[in-house]
Amino acid sequence: MCFVGEGEYYEAGSGIDSSGVRYNMGMIKMGAGELRKSTPDKTILTKIRRNPIYFVLDEIIDTYNVGSLFRLADAVSAEKMFLCGKMEYPPSARIHKASVGTENWVPWEKTESTLDTVKMLKMEGVQIVAIEQDRRSIPYCELKPSLPVALVVGHETKGVKHEVLEAADKIVELPMMGVNKSFNVWGSAAVVAYRIIEGIGR
């Protein structure tokens, strides 16, 4: 194994793309500065090992949250992200800034309807888990997901749409122990996503 600077490594036989990014059988490590300038091609993207996790964004309005969710999806090596309904999507300078360029590395798709996206995923055998405060919700720590799984997060003020919650297989929420009654959308998604990651491979 060869180290290529802080936090980055590759093995003998690795490739180097046209922008100088080294990759090794799906293992790519770059800092924020490199990520913002990187332009991966399809060959490199297919080498990244993906976990069976999808993110479904139900009309997230804050571009900082959208960018942070891209960054989270990259961190857990998610299979794909769906940006649904009326919301900003790449190319966007504001999303790019928040995501530090990870929107170029995470497979994503813009769709018109969150509900239709959820139904499509369910037909493909994907479990739908909505992250929302609801009378039917369970604590996130009690979630026993089946894979593949899609995490649905909603509008910062209105939350996940009622009809999408009705279509979900599970609804989970985080306990709020302080004075604030809700948590940031990408922060909530991160807690649940890593809970799922902990169980993969066990």
Side-chain angles (χ1 to χ4, degrees):
M1 180 177 293
C2 303
F3 287 85
V4 192
E6 186 175 350
E8 181 183 355
Y9 63 88
Y10 71 107
E11 295 179 358
S14 299
I16 300 178
D17 78 348
S18 57
S19 61
V21 174
R22 297 179 177 89
Y23 64 89
N24 168 54
M25 298 181 65
M27 179 55 71
I28 302 169
K29 296 291 180 185
M30 288 182 284
E34 293 172 295
L35 275 168
R36 287 193 177 97
K37 299 175 184 177
S38 64
T39 53
D41 59 36
K42 291 182 179 180
T43 302
I44 294 175
L45 292 177
T46 59
K47 293 179 180 292
I48 298 176
R49 298 186 185 97
R50 303 285 179 187
N51 284 310
I53 300 174
Y54 297 82
F55 287 92
V56 179
L57 281 54
D58 183 18
E59 298 195 347
I60 304 295
I61 57 172
D62 189 331
T63 52
Y64 175 79
N65 284 332
V66 177
S68 296
L69 283 160
F70 267 112
R71 199 167 181 177
L72 170 61
D74 171 71
V76 300
S77 197
E79 188 70 41
K80 192 172 185 178
M81 178 181 287
F82 294 91
L83 289 72
C84 309
K86 296 178 180 179
M87 59 177 292
E88 195 163 338
Y89 56 92
S92 161
R94 289 176 292 187
I95 290 175
H96 183 73
K97 182 178 180 180
S99 73
V100 298
T102 53
E103 81 279 12
N104 294 325
W105 292 88
V106 175
W108 64 273
E109 180 180 341
K110 177 68 176 71
T111 67
E112 293 302 315
S113 167
T114 309
L115 182 59
D116 288 347
T117 301
V118 163
K119 287 180 177 179
M120 178 269 295
L121 288 170
K122 290 186 76 169
M123 288 181 64
E124 295 178 359
V126 178
Q127 183 188 41
I128 307 300
V129 176
I131 304 172
E132 186 60 85
Q133 293 173 325
D134 187 86
R135 59 180 176 79
R136 296 160 292 180
S137 67
I138 62 172
Y140 81 95
C141 56
E142 295 179 9
L143 175 65
K144 294 179 173 60
S146 60
L147 301 174
V149 61
L151 300 180
V152 184
V153 291
H155 187 282
E156 291 86 345
T157 303
K158 301 175 183 177
V160 178
K161 294 186 187 70
H162 174 74
E163 61 267 25
V164 177
L165 291 176
E166 291 292 325
D169 298 304
K170 299 284 185 181
I171 306 173
V172 301
E173 67 175 292
L174 277 62
M176 299 300 298
M177 302 173 189
V179 296
N180 189 3
K181 67 178 183 179
S182 64
F183 196 40
N184 181 283
V185 62
W186 71 262
S188 300
V191 171
V192 179
Y194 273 97
R195 176 76 177 182
I196 294 170
I197 288 292
E198 286 173 2
I200 294 178
R202 286 184 181 177

